[in-house]
Amino acid sequence: MPLEAPARIVSELTSRGYNAEREAVTRLAAAEDPTAALERVLEEVPDDALVVRTDHVTAALSTDGAADQGLADGGAVDTDAAAAEAPPPTDPTPSVSTGTDQPPAGGSTGRSPVETEGSSPADRSVDPDQRSLEIVGDMTGESTGTGEYSDFVSVFRDRLDRLGGKLRSRVNHRPASAIQSMPGGSEAAMVGLVNDIRSTASGHWLIELEDATGTFPWLVMKDREYVDLVDELLCDEVLAMEGTLADDSGIAFVDSMYFPDVPRTHEPSTADRHVQAALISDVHVGSQEFMEDAWNAFADWLHTEEAQHVEYMLLAGDMVEGVGVYPDQDEELDIVDIYEQYEAFSEHLKKVPGDIDIVMIPGNHDAVRLAEPQPGFDEELREIMSAHDPQIVSNPSMVTLEGVSVLMYHGVSLDEVIAELPEEKASYDDPHKAMYHLLKKRHVAPQFGGHTRLAPEEKDYLVMEEVPDIFHTGHVHKLGFGKYHNVLAINSGCWQAQTDFQKSVNIDPDAGFAPIVDLDTLDVTVQKFS
Ligand code: D5M
Ligand code: FE
Ligand code: ZN
């Protein structure tokens, strides 16, 4: 197998039981005959070494045999003294027989992508001390719900308490039971969960709000300005209404509506240095449509100089295709065993530079419970995916990268937001706009009882208690990003080509793209690999 690409070098090393520093891989890739160079390095690394380090490569390639190993010309590694000492590739005779058909040193093929682009090998000397990665709100291992009725009561009470808390200072609210006994014509306000939304015979809207004391109906007149907001309401979201009681106090006419929302003044935190994160999701390894070439190209790119500032990778669910997720899914499976799917995923993950910090959450195709919040993978799956030592956390979870908080959520509720809201407010073509509504509701999956399954817990882990600086989702397989009240919302596309189901419903996935976020500016660039 030709080893010109960093991802292949990593594969080869891992298949022989080694991890490798990114710089070490880059240098091997920059050798004119990487296969021979790799063999030489492995001959020389100490027997007990588990990691191939840059100094191993430098030492092995700068010995007398360096020219024979086909070290790239000095220009490509001119910042490195040891490599610069290597003789120029004048001797065309490969001295190490690897049984491969690599061209002799000095030949013009087998060059690494780095060289082809005319740049020098990536300077991968990342300083781990500058990094910081903290996880907040991982509920793995915290699940207490048993699915009893009382759990549903607790989870909705907690939702109302916490999201209501963001509204109570903004309106002069009363409990539902108290509003019923106020005199007709009074001004009233209430904070509650949306219990029901229906239109009246005359085209007005009746919205029933519920709190711990009962329910109360609020009427939005069709000619009032707030009617434009009715089509974006979802059942079970928390909001506040203010209005005037009818003469018999049986109903109130809405004058204003308030959402928990992100304050317009929200100022996101940024990193103190230039560092980037790749935000991806929906790899779907095991599907016949998994785009292996695009993934390899992405992994190769991560080894280049252009990607030298990418130090974090966030994976927002659907690592594998899973089994039995949708009817007839098995007809499109490349790997039918779920554990083998994770083994294969792990092999693909190993191609990512070893010094990138990885965080992952599960999605609806992954082998964890489907109901949200979804705990992080179990021990067996963690073991399979352990090579990179990723942080494996629940869906959703918040992770803080050098001060920048990122709310990671797989995104199943986006299907519902897109189905319920009018096209111009939320669509598959603009997935980030659907995300804006979740931010406004301060909840990742407000509506209960539809598509999105909820596992009732003592606490509502799906509430966005804190405003994130970045909101990262996947699931809909469409790339889209934008800012809502200064929060960067980003839906990350996928690595799976269009499936038969998607063809049948006209979903055209954005496959093989990697959005890269500058953590110091929150700017996004998109790298394309398909
Ligand atoms: O979901 C990818 C996208 O496609 C997401 O918007 C759901 C939708 N999808 C895909 N397959 C189906 C079936 N069979 N029924 C309904 N919706 C579907 P993912 O989670 O990656 O499958
Ligand atoms: Fe997916
Ligand atoms: Zn999904």
Side-chain angles (χ1 to χ4, degrees):
M1 177 173 69
L3 291 177
E4 71 278 7
R8 298 222 176 85
I9 290 177
V10 176
S11 283
E12 184 65 19
L13 286 170
T14 49
S15 74
R16 301 195 198 191
Y18 293 97
N19 281 323
E21 287 181 356
R22 183 153 39 166
E23 168 95 31
V25 173
T26 306
R27 295 208 179 180
L28 282 168
E32 206 134 313
D33 183 350
T35 307
L38 179 138
E39 295 302 334
R40 176 71 176 227
V41 168
L42 291 188
E43 267 169 35
E44 301 209 353
V45 289
D47 287 344
D48 57 350
L50 295 173
V51 178
V52 174
R53 291 201 317 268
T54 313
D55 52 306
H56 294 143
V57 177
T58 313
L61 298 189
S62 62
T63 55
D64 282 344
D68 300 337
Q69 302 313 314
L71 235 205
D73 63 79
V77 284
D78 59 3
T79 53
D80 181 79
E85 278 165 21
T90 48
D91 178 357
T93 320
S95 67
V96 178
S97 169
T98 59
T100 67
D101 55 1
Q102 289 294 294
S108 60
T109 56
R111 307 195 125 220
S112 76
V114 180
E115 286 177 85
T116 326
E117 285 163 26
S119 54
S120 54
D123 176 7
R124 303 266 168 219
S125 51
V126 290
D127 177 1
D129 289 346
Q130 291 195 289
R131 295 206 190 162
S132 89
L133 190 161
E134 282 166 52
I135 304 286
V136 196
D138 174 19
M139 55 71 63
T140 309
E142 305 282 318
S143 177
T144 54
T146 52
E148 310 265 321
Y149 176 75
S150 59
D151 292 331
F152 284 97
V153 174
S154 315
V155 77
F156 283 111
R157 186 162 291 165
D158 182 58
R159 179 184 301 194
L160 182 58
D161 279 353
R162 290 198 289 144
L163 291 179
K166 301 184 188 302
L167 294 161
R168 289 189 186 106
S169 61
R170 291 155 62 188
V171 290
N172 186 14
H173 65 99
R174 293 280 175 274
S177 57
I179 294 176
Q180 285 156 6
S181 46
M182 286 166 75
S186 319
E187 295 294 309
M190 177 177 167
V191 173
L193 290 149
V194 174
N195 199 39
D196 191 29
I197 308 165
R198 48 180 196 273
S199 60
T200 68
S202 40
H204 305 303
W205 291 93
L206 197 62
I207 295 149
E208 193 175 73
L209 289 191
E210 177 172 2
D211 67 14
T213 68
T215 63
F216 195 81
W218 293 80
L219 193 77
V220 183
M221 308 290 283
K222 63 182 173 195
D223 50 357
R224 297 299 301 266
E225 59 176 312
Y226 285 94
V227 78
D228 290 342
L229 296 177
V230 173
D231 62 12
E232 60 188 58
L233 298 184
L234 293 178
C235 278
D236 307 315
E237 70 172 287
V238 174
L239 47 70
M241 291 200 179
E242 215 168 38
T244 314
L245 285 182
D247 290 344
D248 66 357
S249 301
I251 196 168
F253 301 101
V254 175
D255 293 322
S256 354
M257 265 189 233
Y258 301 86
F259 297 85
D261 223 323
V262 173
R264 280 178 190 280
T265 52
H266 175 68
E267 280 185 36
S269 301
T270 50
D272 292 337
R273 62 183 183 121
H274 182 50
V275 59
Q276 298 178 311
L279 270 49
I280 61 166
S281 66
D282 298 274
V283 192
H284 288 266
V285 172
S287 159
Q288 286 168 11
E289 276 74 35
F290 166 57
M291 295 168 63
E292 184 166 0
D293 291 346
W295 179 269
N296 287 340
F298 171 45
D300 283 345
W301 176 79
L302 286 172
H303 287 270
T304 67
E305 182 167 28
E306 208 189 336
Q308 65 177 304
H309 297 294
V310 180
E311 297 190 26
Y312 301 97
M313 178 186 282
L314 306 185
L315 271 150
D318 286 359
M319 313 303 149
V320 301
E321 174 64 9
V323 289
V325 181
Y326 293 125
D328 298 328
Q329 185 204 18
D330 47 340
E331 289 164 22
E332 293 188 66
L333 286 183
D334 194 29
I335 305 173
V336 296
D337 181 90
I338 185 78
Y339 290 100
E340 283 172 28
Q341 290 183 3
Y342 281 100
E343 306 267 4
F345 169 73
S346 175
E347 291 308 309
H348 291 299
L349 200 59
K350 283 178 188 169
K351 298 171 193 166
V352 168
D355 54 15
I356 291 185
D357 281 329
I358 300 180
V359 182
M360 42 193 193
I361 63 169
N364 58 313
H365 283 251
D366 286 299
V368 301
R369 79 172 181 203
L370 195 53
E372 297 173 8
Q374 297 179 285
F377 300 111
D378 67 16
E379 284 311 319
E380 193 170 357
L381 294 175
R382 278 170 199 258
E383 185 58 37
I384 294 176
M385 293 183 275
S386 62
H388 250 287
D389 200 17
Q391 299 265 358
I392 292 179
V393 294
S394 61
N395 169 38
S397 280
M398 183 98 108
V399 46
T400 305
L401 307 174
E402 304 194 17
V404 181
S405 59
V406 188
L407 174 62
M408 298 175 69
Y409 169 62
H410 178 57
V412 170
S413 68
L414 295 172
D415 282 331
E416 234 157 31
V417 174
I418 291 168
E420 301 274 340
L421 270 54
E423 169 88 21
E424 68 280 7
K425 290 191 178 178
S427 67
Y428 285 108
D429 286 336
D430 291 314
H432 51 290
K433 293 192 183 158
M435 299 171 73
Y436 295 169
H437 288 279
L438 299 178
L439 286 164
K440 184 172 178 179
K441 300 175 195 307
R442 294 288 288 269
H443 199 280
V444 299
Q447 186 158 286
F448 171 70
H451 223 64
T452 321
R453 295 183 207 190
L454 175 77
E457 301 284 354
E458 235 169 306
K459 177 171 174 271
D460 189 349
Y461 290 96
L462 308 179
V463 163
M464 296 184 202
E465 181 80 53
E466 303 296 327
V467 177
D469 300 317
I470 302 176
F471 181 26
H472 174 205
T473 59
H475 181 64
V476 295
H477 293 205
K478 295 295 267 186
L479 176 69
F481 54 90
K483 292 217 173 129
Y484 177 76
H485 297 185
N486 301 325
V487 176
L488 172 63
I490 178 156
N491 192 285
S492 49
C494 64
W495 300 86
Q496 182 186 38
Q498 194 182 43
T499 63
D500 283 348
F501 168 83
Q502 290 166 346
K503 205 175 285 171
S504 73
V505 295
N506 254 333
I507 298 179
D508 185 15
D510 292 325
F513 294 90
I516 309 293
V517 181
D518 283 356
L519 295 175
D520 48 338
T521 59
L522 302 193
D523 288 340
V524 180
T525 46
V526 175
Q527 297 292 332
K528 186 175 188 305
F529 301 102
S530 54

